[in-house]
Every structure is written in structure tokens, then in C-alpha cells.
Amino acid sequence: MKRMTTLWLGIALTLSTFVSVQAETLKLTNGEWPPFLSEKYKHYGLASHIVSEAMKQQGVSVEYGFFPWKRALTLAEKGSEWHGSVVWGEKDERKVKFLYSEPVIVLNDVFFYPKDKPIKWEKLEDLKGIRIGASIGYSYGAEFDNFEKDKTLNVIRAKDEVINLKKISDGKLEAFPCTLEVCIELLNTQLTDIKDKVGYTDKELRSTSYHLLVSKSAPNAEAMIDKFNKGLAAIKESGQYDEFIKSNLSGGYAP
């Protein structure tokens, strides 16, 4: 009996070692973009949560490292210590070095405005003559950028979204384009004193998809993208994906 127990123990240890060797880990660089990505947020933010759960469906664990954005992309590009990065918009130059997943999230930019002075628009030319805020260094799409450049639109740049939202509440600006969830998160966390003074349009300025990137130099890069896409489809079919989206809109990922 003792010999049999020892034999089974040996088999169990061998299987355990085999499973641990076979377990896969995807190491991704990440950054600060609340509520979608943040080292301080629950599950590291909505987008991180989606990626982790989709990979979990395929038996892959995810490890995140948080870096400034430029460094995050550079580290991910090498594909050695870090295999990829979340989440990024589509650019041709990135596709040279990275494989793109199906969209992790699709976000809409809308116009925020003073609640007592709502705006309506069908085309950007409808906004001629009003004071429009924008954040320094941020592109709002080719049409908007071109209208800003040729002065068709009166665009006033400021440091960031917080300053622009404060200017909206003070009436110093009449419109400000911002990713819906980003500015709602700011109003619900940092700018609670002005959130009742700010409204936003139903019509979006643009929609942008954001993706998991895996370096073409990373081990099993194509297999990892395939596993993510399958896992993403699974959590969408189960309703889990929609639950994450709803939780985010109600502040569920805030620290």
C-alpha cells in the first residue's frame, strides 16, 4: 500500500509540473487612461478587465506593467519581456510591428456643452462662430483638425479635459469634444461640483475602435491574437461583456 501511495504521489506531482509548464501568460504593457486603463482602478479598468477575462476563457493569464505611453509601446514592440500592449487605435505604422485583435472597445467622441446653452449639429460647419475647446496634442479626426487649421472653426486649446470641462461650466466655451466615458468619469470623480452644469450631445463626432496589440516578434503571437478573439466572442455571447460596459457607465471600476 505504501508503494502504491508513493506511486500515485509521484504521478500527481508529475501532472502538476506538466500543467504549470503548459500554463500560458501574456505580458502586456498598460498605461493611465481612466476608466479604461489604470493601475489604481478595479481590474485595472474596463479595457484591461475585458482583455483579462477574454484570455481567461482560453486558459491564458494576463500580467500588466504600467508605463508612460511612449515607453509602453516601445517595450511591447520588442516582444521579449513584454509581448504586447493595451489598448490602441489603428495606425498603419503600428501594423508593421504588431498584430491587431478584434476591437476591445469602441468609443464615441461627443460634444459637451453648458447645460443652460445646449447645442445641436448635423455637420461640423454648423458649429461655426462658437467657442470650441480642445486638449493640446489631441486629434479629433481629420475633418475637425482641418477646420481648426483653416479657421473654419474657432478652436481654443487647453492643457487637458479637466480645464476644458471647467470652461464649459463657466460658459467660457460653448462646446468641447471628448470621449463620452472619459469626461463622464471626470465629472463623477474630480468635478462633482460642476457635473450638473454640463450636458452632452447624442450625436457623436466620431467612433474609434481600440485593440489589443501583440508584437509580431513575441512567441506565439498569432496564436495569442486568435485566443483573444475567441475569448472575446465568448464573453460577448455570455453577456459578460455587456455587464462590464454597464458597470463602467455607473462608475463600477473607480477605485
Side-chain angles (χ1 to χ4, degrees):
M1 178 65 73
K2 184 175 180 181
R3 289 180 61 189
M4 185 65 69
T5 302
T6 303
L7 176 62
W8 280 112
L9 180 60
I11 293 172
L13 288 171
T14 300
L15 288 172
S16 175
T17 301
F18 177 77
V19 170
S20 66
V21 169
Q22 291 299 307
E24 292 182 281
T25 300
L26 182 64
K27 297 182 67 177
L28 302 174
T29 63
N30 209 321
E32 290 297 318
W33 188 31
F36 308 109
L37 308 166
S38 178
E39 192 170 13
K40 301 179 182 69
Y41 272 50
K42 295 171 187 174
H43 303 289
Y44 301 128
L46 170 65
S48 303
H49 196 195
I50 291 170
V51 171
S52 295
E53 287 299 318
M55 296 307 286
K56 184 179 178 181
Q57 291 283 329
Q58 299 296 305
V60 179
S61 62
V62 179
E63 180 181 329
Y64 293 111
F66 287 80
F67 305 94
W69 286 113
K70 186 175 181 180
R71 188 177 175 211
L73 198 61
T74 300
L75 289 171
E77 188 177 290
K78 296 176 182 178
S80 50
E81 181 181 1
W82 298 96
H83 306 136
S85 190
V86 290
V87 283
W88 298 82
E90 291 193 74
K91 283 192 175 180
D92 290 339
E93 58 265 33
R94 290 183 192 142
K95 291 183 178 180
V96 175
K97 299 286 186 179
F98 293 99
L99 299 175
Y100 270 70
S101 73
E102 292 295 314
V104 178
I105 49 175
V106 179
L107 304 178
N108 294 327
D109 288 351
V110 300
F111 281 104
F112 285 74
Y113 55 74
K115 191 167 279 188
D116 61 357
K117 194 177 180 182
I119 61 170
K120 290 185 179 181
W121 69 287
E122 292 300 325
K123 55 187 186 298
L124 278 176
E125 291 95 325
D126 296 338
L127 302 178
K128 285 181 181 178
I130 70 170
R131 299 181 303 277
I132 302 172
S135 296
I136 293 171
Y138 191 85
S139 170
Y140 297 90
E143 185 181 28
F144 184 97
D145 294 347
N146 288 335
F147 282 164
E148 176 185 6
K149 187 176 180 179
D150 67 17
K151 307 297 183 184
T152 298
L153 297 178
N154 177 23
V155 178
I156 305 162
R157 295 266 175 176
K159 180 182 177 182
D160 55 30
E161 289 86 356
V162 170
I163 292 173
N164 279 301
L165 287 170
K166 286 180 178 179
K167 287 185 175 183
I168 286 289
S169 71
D170 292 340
K172 294 176 181 176
L173 294 172
E174 294 163 273
F176 168 53
C178 182
T179 301
L180 177 62
E181 292 87 349
V182 169
C183 276
I184 285 179
E185 184 77 5
L186 288 171
L187 290 167
N188 285 335
T189 55
Q190 298 183 39
L191 301 170
T192 55
D193 57 323
I194 68 168
K195 70 176 184 179
D196 292 334
K197 299 178 181 179
V198 178
Y200 56 88
T201 60
D202 293 327
K203 179 178 171 60
E204 69 271 7
L205 173 61
R206 63 171 180 169
S207 293
T208 306
S209 62
Y210 293 89
H211 307 255
L212 161 66
L213 272 57
V214 174
S215 171
K216 291 180 180 180
S217 301
N220 303 317
E222 291 187 6
M224 283 297 182
I225 287 292
D226 184 59
K227 286 183 178 184
F228 172 76
N229 289 340
K230 288 178 179 176
L232 180 66
I235 64 173
K236 285 186 174 181
E237 185 175 352
S238 71
Q240 195 175 18
Y241 183 93
D242 288 338
E243 289 176 9
F244 295 164
I245 297 296
K246 289 177 183 177
S247 177
N248 178 60
L249 289 173
S250 62
Y253 288 92

